[in-house]
Amino acid sequence: MLHKKLLPFLILLSMLASAGIYFFNNYSLKLVVTHTLFCLAIYSLCAAYTKLYDSFNVINNSPLFKSLLFALASTILIFLYTGNAISNYFWKANLNLNLINRMLEHYYYLKPLMTGLIMIVIPFIVYIVVLCGYIRIFKSMRKPNYSAKKAAFYYLSISLIIFIQLSSSNISRSKNDLKEYFVGEMFVDLISEYTDPHLDYVNDAGGIKDEVAQSLDYVTQSEENIDYSKKNIIMIVVDCLRADRLQSYGYHRDTTPFINNLISQHTSHQVKHAFALCDESKCGIRSILTSRNIEAQNSLESSQNSLHQKLKDNGYQVNFLLSSDHAFGGLKRVYYPNDFYLDGIGFDAYPLNDDRGLISVLEKWPNYNGSPNYFHFHLFSAHEAGISYGKYLGKGVHGIKPGFLQGEPIEARFSTTDASSEQLKHDEMDNAIYQADLIIYRIHTLLKQKGYIDNALIIITGDHGQGLNEHGYYGHIKGLYNESLRVPLMIIDTANNSLNLTESNYANQHDIAPTIADIVNIAKAPTWKGKSLQQQKSGVTITTHVIPNRSASFAKTIYNPSDGSLFKYIFLSKYNGLTESRYLFNLIDDPKEEINLLKLANPKVDWHNFIKQHQLDIK
């Protein structure tokens, strides 16, 4: 009788836990059915084990041995739910073994004792606590059940039937009619190569595989393409960098003194309103490199027509130096082809999200020999998970000194007396951006010492923004407001040549690749969707911005160059479509997006007709 009560209770708990994760992260709720069946199969297997134990141990009926498998299954599920709740909150994707293995290998290499203790001690403690709970349960059934063999057969049959059926249905999960029952299921994702909900990113990449971090031993400067007239190109993408937190965009704090100095000393161009296509790194980086819409960014065709492929075809050496792990969602595949690739997983002396890992590599970089180079940096200092070197996060780590990132802990550059918890978040972001500015200063210093800066094109931008509770959320991957989408876009020519850029009011990430191509005089790919900033926008430009992880929400920016107007329409669909909201903002008069034009009592303009005229309701 115990199993007839215990199993339904455990299945109910699993169903509720999975439903919460799937519901609040906009997964298909059909996944609850699949997950519940998996849990039923697992717990039926545990019940079969206990019944078999009963049948062969009639006298020595120990509750400890009967509890072992149940406790193991429950412990695994506890970590599965906890890990996926955290993973979906920060990255909107489930965990998988590849990701876990990469993290463990990386941190075990850096801190073997601490990593080993954490990965062994914490699960062991949880397992012992759960085991004690099951022992108490099984003590209530001390008398052996003499029909145990028959019951064990029934439970084992149930388990095997479910596992076989789920396995056969899941063979072609990305293409068959049952994919809504499998794509995103936690057990399936755990053993999948990727957990990115847009599997077309991976499936359409053809024979392109993930890039693997290289050693500096592989870095050589080609002598076949020496041409001193060609500009070196230095792309610096700062994760979570918001335009409105930079002084050159009107912010009251000088968070980027080096960038400001760089702009003032050289020919430069800054776009006033530049937007990311979405609020996460995957599509932000892809948009910059492929100049394509989200659904076509990681195809084989995209790689063959990417910015770095075009540069490589024109004699450039292509170098990617990236902080953090870039394996999520097949992102590493968009970096093909290249001459050098390194992301945070390959750092041998620093954590993967520490920009000092890039600096340590760049310090050993060979000198410029006249062969043109494309450097692509991805910085993590401004990200909430980036390593901080100051005291403003309560950590006395290492300060930044000229020559290398070391020295005494530095005080916060920006702080507020008696700051509220809300203001502390703003101070933290400003200090993080200042740290990113210091990293950029160090990158510039090293490249200048090695001869790459004298004739260089520097592009500084962000892959997306970062919410600070302006509209009810912190972080990114979930926003369509300006704090999430508006990024800086600055282009600097260190040789002080004319850039001939005429569009300074509006741009999006699509426009970066064709602009670079025009400046360095190479052919643009016919697949690119963006327009070079050497051409002013003509006619109304409408750009779609999305939350690509399972959400039906989207936004559209509408720029009219004839009168300089800029509007944003936002459609929000939350919690599997149960709540929907529509907003329209005038971004020129209302950059903080506080006045919804659709809610005005006596509007001077028929804004609903404006939406219909521009077909803004169509994603």
Side-chain angles (χ1 to χ4, degrees):
M1 286 297 294
L2 178 64
H3 291 96
K4 292 181 179 179
K5 295 180 180 179
L6 180 61
L7 258 66
F9 176 72
L10 294 173
I11 298 303
L12 178 62
L13 286 180
S14 299
M15 186 170 64
L16 292 174
S18 64
I21 292 173
Y22 291 139
F23 178 76
F24 289 109
N25 292 288
N26 289 300
Y27 287 88
S28 168
L29 290 180
K30 294 177 181 178
L31 294 171
V32 177
V33 176
T34 313
H35 184 78
T36 302
L37 287 174
F38 270 122
C39 291
L40 176 59
I42 292 168
Y43 281 125
S44 294
L45 188 63
C46 295
Y49 162 77
T50 60
K51 288 297 182 181
L52 283 172
Y53 181 84
D54 281 342
S55 66
F56 291 108
N57 295 272
V58 176
I59 299 175
N60 182 24
N61 191 29
S62 169
L64 170 63
F65 289 101
K66 294 169 66 173
S67 303
L68 293 176
L69 206 55
F70 269 105
L72 179 63
S74 296
T75 302
I76 291 172
L77 283 171
I78 288 170
F79 280 99
L80 184 71
Y81 296 140
T82 304
N84 279 310
I86 295 170
S87 179
N88 277 282
Y89 179 81
F90 286 105
W91 302 292
K92 292 295 180 187
N94 288 332
L95 292 173
N96 70 353
L97 292 176
N98 282 339
L99 173 65
I100 295 170
N101 184 58
R102 289 196 307 272
M103 296 298 112
L104 289 180
E105 284 185 354
H106 175 74
Y107 283 105
Y108 185 78
Y109 178 82
L110 295 175
K111 296 181 180 296
L113 180 60
M114 183 181 296
T115 303
L117 286 173
I118 290 174
M119 294 311 300
I120 293 173
V121 173
I122 293 178
F124 180 74
I125 291 173
V126 173
Y127 177 73
I128 294 300
V129 171
V130 174
L131 182 63
C132 290
Y134 276 108
I135 290 173
R136 293 189 62 181
I137 292 173
F138 280 105
K139 276 183 178 179
S140 65
M141 194 182 73
R142 301 298 296 272
K143 185 178 179 181
N145 186 342
Y146 291 101
S147 62
K149 288 185 180 179
K150 185 182 292 186
F153 174 76
Y154 289 149
Y155 284 123
L156 188 60
S157 299
I158 291 171
S159 179
L160 289 176
I161 289 170
I162 294 173
F163 276 130
I164 291 170
Q165 184 60 46
L166 290 175
S167 298
S168 61
S169 300
N170 185 43
I171 290 173
S172 303
R173 72 187 184 93
S174 63
K175 297 179 180 178
N176 68 13
D177 295 334
L178 295 175
K179 66 180 182 180
E180 288 187 347
Y181 289 90
F182 290 98
V183 177
E185 201 287 317
M186 283 179 272
F187 285 114
V188 174
D189 276 355
L190 193 64
I191 59 174
S192 298
E193 183 179 11
Y194 295 109
T195 60
D196 191 292
H198 296 278
L199 290 175
D200 55 308
Y201 283 167
V202 177
N203 295 335
D204 296 341
I208 299 174
K209 301 299 181 183
D210 280 359
E211 294 298 316
V212 178
Q214 293 170 269
S215 164
L216 270 175
D217 296 337
Y218 292 92
V219 179
T220 57
Q221 288 296 295
S222 171
E223 296 184 358
E224 297 179 3
N225 300 307
I226 292 177
D227 186 346
Y228 286 92
S229 66
K230 287 187 176 180
K231 290 184 179 298
N232 291 311
I233 301 171
I234 302 163
M235 175 83 73
I236 301 175
V237 180
V238 182
D239 212 307
C240 301
L241 186 60
R242 289 171 49 162
D244 64 346
R245 311 298 289 200
L246 276 62
Q247 191 177 60
S248 62
Y249 279 87
Y251 192 47
H252 65 282
R253 284 173 164 174
D254 187 7
T255 54
T256 54
F258 175 71
I259 293 176
N260 294 343
N261 186 57
L262 200 61
I263 290 172
S264 66
Q265 288 185 347
H266 300 290
T267 301
S268 62
H269 185 85
Q270 178 172 292
V271 179
K272 188 174 183 180
H273 300 283
F275 293 92
L277 260 40
C278 76
D279 186 24
E280 65 164 337
S281 296
K282 291 194 292 289
C283 64
I285 295 167
R286 290 181 175 118
S287 298
I288 292 170
L289 291 174
T290 69
S291 188
R292 300 193 73 177
N293 293 330
I294 289 170
E295 64 274 8
Q297 288 177 349
N298 207 50
S299 65
L300 180 60
E301 184 184 21
S302 289
S303 292
Q304 292 171 340
N305 291 280
S306 63
L307 170 63
H308 47 292
Q309 175 68 75
K310 291 298 178 185
L311 291 170
K312 194 168 177 61
D313 290 344
N314 283 269
Y316 276 80
Q317 177 166 314
V318 174
N319 313 297
F320 288 101
L321 293 91
L322 319 167
S323 285
S324 186
D325 176 20
H326 285 246
F328 48 89
L331 182 57
K332 280 188 177 183
R333 301 184 182 194
V334 82
Y335 297 121
Y336 175 87
N338 60 70
D339 296 284
F340 181 82
Y341 176 90
L342 178 75
D343 66 13
I345 291 293
F347 293 171
D348 60 5
Y350 295 94
L352 60 92
N353 51 351
D354 190 332
D355 287 339
R356 289 177 293 180
L358 299 181
I359 299 300
S360 64
V361 172
L362 203 57
E363 286 190 320
K364 303 170 186 175
W365 201 266
N367 292 332
Y368 174 59
N369 71 342
S371 179
N373 276 251
Y374 171 74
F375 289 96
H376 186 111
F377 296 96
H378 188 94
L379 306 186
F380 224 59
S381 285
H383 194 287
E384 68 266 35
I387 297 295
S388 158
Y389 316 128
K391 288 182 177 177
Y392 52 88
L393 292 181
K395 302 174 186 176
V397 194
H398 288 98
I400 297 177
K401 300 290 184 182
F404 191 62
L405 303 178
Q406 59 187 5
E408 294 301 316
I410 57 174
E411 295 289 347
R413 179 178 175 86
F414 305 107
S415 60
T416 305
T417 304
D418 298 326
S420 62
S421 59
E422 192 88 358
Q423 182 58 43
L424 285 174
K425 290 284 187 182
H426 288 262
D427 290 345
E428 286 174 8
M429 172 172 280
D430 291 345
N431 283 301
I433 293 173
Y434 173 62
Q435 177 175 300
D437 184 69
L438 291 169
I439 295 289
I440 294 171
Y441 161 73
R442 185 62 185 142
I443 289 172
H444 181 275
T445 300
L446 288 169
L447 290 178
K448 187 172 184 179
Q449 289 172 356
K450 296 173 184 294
Y452 293 93
I453 288 292
D454 292 342
N455 182 25
L457 186 69
I458 302 175
I459 302 94
I460 301 174
T461 189
D463 55 350
H464 54 77
Q466 181 85 338
L468 287 175
N469 202 34
E470 294 91 342
H471 290 93
Y473 61 88
Y474 289 97
H476 54 282
I477 314 183
K478 49 198 150 192
L480 293 166
Y481 295 95
N482 268 5
E483 60 267 22
S484 297
L485 298 178
R486 190 179 173 213
V487 294
L489 178 53
M490 294 169 279
I491 302 173
I492 302 154
D493 190 313
T494 62
N496 294 320
N497 300 129
S498 175
L499 293 169
N500 297 317
L501 304 181
T502 56
E503 178 57 66
S504 59
N505 286 323
Y506 177 85
N508 63 59
Q509 289 169 327
H510 280 158
D511 300 329
I512 294 175
T515 299
I516 292 173
D518 273 356
I519 293 173
V520 299
N521 196 28
I522 65 172
K524 297 187 284 288
T527 59
W528 290 356
K529 300 297 183 183
K531 303 295 182 185
S532 170
L533 298 181
Q534 288 190 350
Q535 305 168 0
Q536 282 191 312
K537 298 285 188 292
S538 59
V540 176
T541 300
I542 300 176
T543 304
T544 300
H545 312 267
V546 299
I547 301 175
N549 292 290
R550 300 170 299 277
S551 175
S553 302
F554 67 93
K556 291 191 177 183
T557 48
I558 308 98
Y559 173 64
N560 189 342
S562 64
D563 58 10
S565 62
L566 178 60
F567 293 90
K568 186 195 288 178
Y569 172 73
I570 299 178
F571 170 77
L572 291 181
S573 174
K574 295 183 179 179
Y575 309 130
N576 278 276
L578 292 184
T579 62
E580 294 182 353
S581 306
R582 289 169 172 80
Y583 305 86
L584 184 67
F585 301 106
N586 183 336
L587 297 185
I588 302 299
D589 298 336
D590 180 27
K592 294 184 178 180
E593 296 163 308
E594 297 173 329
I595 302 171
N596 184 3
L597 299 177
L598 300 178
K599 297 294 185 180
L600 293 179
N602 298 299
K604 297 179 181 179
V605 177
D606 185 350
W607 296 114
H608 291 279
N609 186 58
F610 177 84
I611 291 173
K612 184 178 180 181
Q613 176 188 350
H614 294 292
Q615 298 183 319
L616 301 182
D617 256 333
I618 302 174
K619 188 174 181 180

